[in-house]
């Protein structure tokens, strides 16, 4: 259960960790859009270089980030296989009614690379930004929209709480599963109906514990006079520094590279 | 059914930045019928160690041998091991899920595919073993009981599987002093009546010193000391230095000794202390 590492924050104090969360969110968005600008393999040089540079600066190895892909392996493989077989063109190899084409192979590899970069890029954001800072950044970015009725603070608070409780609930699930296994429960064998039934002893205690925690949290927040976002001041003000400027410049270079690879070459 | 733990090491999430070594080269033997206290500061690895004893966790290296069989070998029936080695988790009341107490306690025996009459008999017996009245409680929802009662129901849920070894992880945590004493008294009674091996995990010497036959002291993933309570308390400075405490009454005797009174310091209960002090006082009176 706790082996899932995608999107988990790794505490640290690297240049990347120190960046303003707003900078990181904006750059991640720009990165995602730029990935879709690229239209041939040579263009990938820029985002790959960008990721490697960010990985070195953050002290989180590319290998660790790629490990985070494991839970998404099925989606990645599916993308590859669908492209491989469904795209028409010059046939390389035939298996019964299916045929692999040169174009399919090219397109499949291209898409997989895009998907992998997309996932690695976004996970770099969550790996180097604590959930609390992340939601602070989101709240601050959404602030201008509160005039048109977007509840920026409430959204951010809900996200903070949700993110805060994911690891707790995973831990709880793990514990409850073990406790039921100690009473002879078996979650891995039997037919579908039997398996569906076997989750009841996990879900009931899990829900009860989630409600209990929510109750306690609400009480704790109320006893500290929480009453929404109005007039709330913050202890840590978000502040951009020259490091953020440098990051934006690097992103500018990335953008120039991607655009050049598409429109000039 | 002796349990032998050999060179057991457990690393959580190896190869990630979250890697943590929870157990390091642990060696431990629990013989039939022994009553052990496993004691250590929070985070010392107690819960990790006991989850190896019924195969819920797999060792990173080392072996757990039960009845001569390495339980992590291929083809070992873990369900059978888990029935023989009953494990009551910390806050076991958090695992209750059925509509009635009776059904919840029956969960374990039903998983063992026992005939219905046998299941019913065991449920009744288990509930009475933990000091609950079967007829009064069997049809109630486990969620409307008091904290202490819920915990007993949860313990009964494990007892109903008739384990030969019973392991309880901090069974008194979060109970009031009365509830704590009752649970401990029942564990002692249970052990005498059922003649089973018991391992009681705790971070408080006060709770277990006067109950158990032997104590294993854990610190930072290792068993640093083991023996009878009296042997363990000889090294009370060592205990204090790793954040554990000796019972109040043992403290008192040590203080008396420091003041020059000729009392024995390996005393675990108030009664023993009383006898010892009276002996010294009377001895003086006569002299
Ligand atoms: N599921 C887990 N994943 C990662 N680390 C864990 C997990 N469970 C326990 N640990 C770590 O292992 C160490 C020992 O924990 P534990 O066995 O629970 O100790 P104790 O029961 O003595 O308090 C602690 O440092 C704890 O943080
Ligand atoms: Mg514990």
């Amino acid at each position: 259960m706790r082996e899932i590492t995608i999107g988990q924050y790794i505490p640290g104090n690297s240049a990347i960790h120190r960046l303003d969360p707003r900078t990181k969110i904006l750059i991640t968005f720009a990165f995602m859009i730029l990935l879709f600008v690229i239209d041939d393999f040579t263009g990938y040089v820029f985002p790959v270089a960008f990721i490697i540079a960010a990985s070195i600066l953050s002290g989180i190895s590319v290998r660790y980030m790629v490990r985070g892909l494991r839970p998404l392996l099925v989606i990645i493989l599916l993308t590859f296989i669908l492209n491989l077989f469904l795209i028409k063109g010059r046939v390389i190899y035939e298996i019964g009614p299916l045929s692999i084409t040169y174009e399919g192979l090219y397109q499949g590899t291209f898409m997989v690379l895009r998907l992998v970069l997309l996932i690695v890029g976004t996970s770099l954001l969550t790996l180097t930004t604590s959930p609390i800072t992340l939601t602070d950044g989101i709240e601050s970015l959404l602030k201008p929209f509160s005039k048109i009725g977007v509840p920026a603070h409430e959204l951010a608070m809900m996200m903070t709480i949700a993110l805060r409780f994911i690891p707790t609930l995973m831990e709880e699930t793990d514990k409850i599963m073990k406790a039921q296994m100690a009473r002879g429960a078996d979650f891995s064998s039997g037919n579908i109906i039997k398996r569906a039934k076997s989750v009841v002893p996990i879900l009931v205690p899990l829900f009860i514990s989630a409600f209990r925690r929510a109750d306690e949290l609400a009480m704790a927040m109320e006893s500290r006079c929480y009453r929404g976002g109005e007039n709330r001041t913050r202890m840590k003000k978000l502040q951009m520094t020259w490091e953020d400027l440098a990051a934006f410049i690097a992103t500018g270079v990335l953008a120039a590279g991607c655009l050049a690879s598409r429109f000039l070459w | 059914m002796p349990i032998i733990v050999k060179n057991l090491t457990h690393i959580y999430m190896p190869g990630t930045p979250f890697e943590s070594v929870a157990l390091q080269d642990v060696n431990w033997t629990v013989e039939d019928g022994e009553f052990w206290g496993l004691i250590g500061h929070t985070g010392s690895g107690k819960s990790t160690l006991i989850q190896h004893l019924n195969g819920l966790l797999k060792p990173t290296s080392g072996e757990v041998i039960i009845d001569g069989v390495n339980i992590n070998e291929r083809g070992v029936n873990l369900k059978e091991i888990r029935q023989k080695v009953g494990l009551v988790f910390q806050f076991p009341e958090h695992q209750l899920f059925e509509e009635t107490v009776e059904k919840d306690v029956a969960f374990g025996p039903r998983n063992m595919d026992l005939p219905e009459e046998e299941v019913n008999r065991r449920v009744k017996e288990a509930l009475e073993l933990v000091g609950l009245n079967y007829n009064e409680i069997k049809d109630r929802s486990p969620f409307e009981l008091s904290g202490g009662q819920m915990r007993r129901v949860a313990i009964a849920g494990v007892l109903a599987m008739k384990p030969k070894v019973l392991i309880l992880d901090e069974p008194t945590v979060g109970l009031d002093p009365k509830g704590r004493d009752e649970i401990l008294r029942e564990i002692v009674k249970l052990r005498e009546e059922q003649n089973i091996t018991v391992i009681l995990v705790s971070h408080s010497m006060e709770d277990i010193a006067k109950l158990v036959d032997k104590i294993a002291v854990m610190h930072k993933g290792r068993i640093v000391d083991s023996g009878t309570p009296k042997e363990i308390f000889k090294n009370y400075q060592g205990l204090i230095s790793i954040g554990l405490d000796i019972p109040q009454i043992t403290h008192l005797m040590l203080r008396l000794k420091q003041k020059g009174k000729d009392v024995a310091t390996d005393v675990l209960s108030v009664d023993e202390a009383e006898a010892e002090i009276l002996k010294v006082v009377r001895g003086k009176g006569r002299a």
Side-chain angles (χ1 to χ4, degrees):
Chain A
M1 264 297 163
R2 288 172 75 182
E3 305 285 325
I4 299 168
T5 52
I6 186 169
Q8 201 166 11
Y9 171 57
I10 300 181
N13 192 27
S14 72
I16 304 281
H17 282 86
R18 282 195 308 266
L19 286 180
D20 190 294
R22 289 170 297 181
T23 308
K24 284 190 269 189
I25 295 168
L26 291 175
I27 290 180
T28 306
F29 266 113
F31 182 83
M32 285 160 70
I33 294 166
L34 288 171
L35 280 179
F36 285 90
V37 168
I38 293 166
D39 64 351
D40 64 5
F41 277 102
T42 46
Y44 279 140
V45 171
F46 299 101
V48 168
F50 192 77
I51 291 284
I52 291 176
S55 147
I56 292 169
L57 282 173
S58 66
I60 298 168
S61 69
V62 174
R63 217 182 61 209
Y64 182 72
M65 285 188 257
V66 172
R67 273 175 63 128
L69 293 175
R70 237 185 293 168
L72 301 167
L73 207 60
V74 179
I75 299 175
I76 295 171
L77 274 179
L78 206 67
T79 310
F80 183 70
I81 291 170
L82 284 181
N83 275 292
L84 197 60
F85 288 113
L86 293 183
I87 291 181
K88 306 231 171 333
R90 284 170 284 162
V91 174
I92 309 175
Y93 193 76
E94 286 195 51
I95 316 164
L98 296 171
S99 57
I100 298 175
T101 63
Y102 173 77
E103 281 76 9
L105 190 61
Y106 182 92
Q107 193 64 16
T109 319
F110 188 79
M111 289 309 242
V112 164
L113 211 54
R114 180 183 280 172
L115 205 56
V116 168
L117 281 168
L118 204 63
I119 298 164
V120 169
T122 40
S123 65
L124 198 57
L125 170 67
T126 50
L127 284 169
T128 61
T129 320
S130 75
I132 304 290
T133 341
L134 194 61
T135 43
D136 274 358
I138 292 173
E139 181 176 352
S140 164
L141 288 172
L142 284 179
K143 239 334 155 7
F145 299 103
S146 60
K147 299 227 164 47
I148 57 165
V150 177
H153 171 79
E154 282 69 22
L155 280 177
M157 181 57 87
M158 280 197 281
M159 261 189 70
T160 311
I161 293 172
L163 285 170
R164 155 71 187 75
F165 277 102
I166 289 172
T168 313
L169 284 183
M170 297 236 268
E171 216 171 293
E172 194 87 12
T173 313
D174 188 51
K175 225 173 62 191
I176 294 170
M177 272 179 82
K178 279 184 183 161
Q180 306 302 25
M181 274 154 77
R183 294 207 278 165
D186 186 356
F187 302 117
S188 53
S189 67
N191 57 26
I192 292 182
I193 295 171
K194 205 170 154 204
R195 278 198 207 190
K197 263 193 185 163
S198 75
V199 297
V200 172
I202 305 175
L203 282 187
V204 173
L206 195 60
F207 269 102
I208 291 171
S209 118
F211 280 117
R212 185 178 50 232
R213 279 177 202 280
D215 231 24
E216 282 167 7
L217 182 67
M219 195 96 83
M221 285 169 82
E222 248 175 49
S223 21
R224 287 188 278 168
C225 303
Y226 176 80
R227 55 191 163 75
E230 235 164 288
N231 301 329
R232 216 170 137 78
T233 54
R234 356 188 104 256
M235 190 163 88
K236 283 192 198 145
K237 281 243 186 279
L238 295 177
Q239 192 84 55
M240 301 244 179
T241 64
W242 64 269
E243 284 178 333
D244 295 281
L245 184 65
F248 279 123
I249 291 173
T251 313
V253 173
L254 170 73
C258 294
L259 290 169
S261 85
R262 170 150 192 166
F263 296 113
L264 298 183
W265 297 335
Chain B
M1 221 183 61
I3 299 178
I4 300 168
V5 176
K6 257 195 208 162
N7 307 105
L8 181 63
T9 295
H10 188 88
I11 303 176
Y12 280 110
M13 295 193 268
T16 73
F18 303 98
E19 183 174 296
S20 90
V21 181
L23 292 178
Q24 253 185 86
D25 196 25
V26 170
N27 287 287
W28 190 28
T29 303
V30 176
E31 297 288 354
D32 277 350
E34 282 182 335
F35 191 176
W36 276 89
L38 181 62
I39 194 161
H41 205 266
T42 308
S44 58
K46 307 179 296 290
S47 300
T48 305
L49 175 56
I50 56 169
Q51 286 172 45
H52 280 87
L53 304 186
N54 68 354
L56 283 173
L57 286 176
K58 300 258 172 278
T60 305
S61 67
E63 293 171 359
V64 177
I65 296 162
I66 295 178
D67 243 351
V69 177
N70 179 348
I71 64 166
N72 293 301
E73 231 142 58
R74 265 169 184 282
V76 173
N77 184 349
L78 279 178
K79 215 165 150 178
E80 206 175 281
I81 300 278
R82 286 176 192 152
Q83 180 265 308
K84 285 189 200 157
V85 181
L87 175 55
V88 179
F89 271 77
Q90 201 168 354
F91 295 110
E93 59 273 26
H94 292 176
Q95 75 197 27
L96 299 172
F97 68 98
E98 279 285 14
E99 299 147 74
T100 67
V101 167
E102 184 175 30
K103 279 192 193 167
D104 207 292
V105 176
F107 181 66
R110 290 230 164 89
N111 284 330
M112 294 162 60
D113 297 322
L114 295 171
E116 207 53 20
E117 312 98 73
E118 175 67 11
V119 171
N120 290 337
R121 237 198 43 232
R122 286 188 176 202
V123 169
K124 185 158 187 246
E125 194 180 294
L127 282 169
E128 305 213 312
L129 272 174
V130 294
L132 294 170
N133 185 322
Y134 172 78
N135 287 319
E136 260 171 38
I137 209 162
K138 72 177 169 55
D139 293 321
R140 291 181 65 188
S141 158
F143 303 108
E144 61 183 31
L145 303 177
S146 75
Q149 285 173 318
M150 276 166 95
R151 189 161 297 182
R152 282 143 199 262
V153 170
I155 294 175
V158 171
L159 288 178
M161 305 205 304
K162 296 214 171 186
K164 291 193 179 132
V165 179
L166 180 66
I167 307 174
L168 300 115
D169 196 353
E170 313 237 11
T172 60
V173 160
L175 294 182
D176 53 43
K178 184 163 159 278
R180 185 188 66 198
D181 288 346
E182 280 171 5
I183 290 262
L184 289 176
R185 214 176 308 127
E186 257 133 37
I187 292 168
V188 171
K189 203 176 83 197
L190 188 83
R191 172 171 177 268
E192 280 161 4
E193 284 173 8
Q194 304 284 303
N195 196 24
I196 54 180
T197 312
V198 176
I199 301 174
L200 191 57
V201 178
S202 175
H203 63 267
S204 149
M205 275 297 185
E206 200 75 48
D207 270 8
I208 62 171
K210 52 185 184 285
L211 303 181
V212 302
D213 306 329
K214 283 184 170 176
I215 293 180
V217 182
M218 289 201 73
H219 182 53
K220 294 196 174 155
R222 294 171 187 278
I223 290 189
V224 290
D225 201 357
S226 74
T228 63
K230 291 188 181 185
E231 285 163 9
I232 296 287
F233 293 148
K234 288 225 175 81
N235 178 22
Y236 67 94
Q237 278 136 335
L239 287 178
I240 291 168
S241 78
I242 59 173
L244 294 173
D245 211 347
I246 52 178
Q248 296 275 334
I249 198 70
T250 316
H251 255 302
L252 175 73
M253 299 309 268
L254 280 165
R255 289 285 289 277
L256 286 173
K257 183 92 175 181
Q258 273 167 12
K259 299 244 168 194
K261 309 286 181 220
D262 187 24
V263 292
T265 54
D266 57 353
V267 165
L268 302 176
S269 68
V270 177
D271 291 341
E272 268 183 279
E274 186 186 349
E276 185 67 25
I277 292 171
L278 280 176
K279 200 168 84 195
V280 172
V281 171
R282 293 215 176 103
K284 252 196 200 139
R286 244 178 274 128

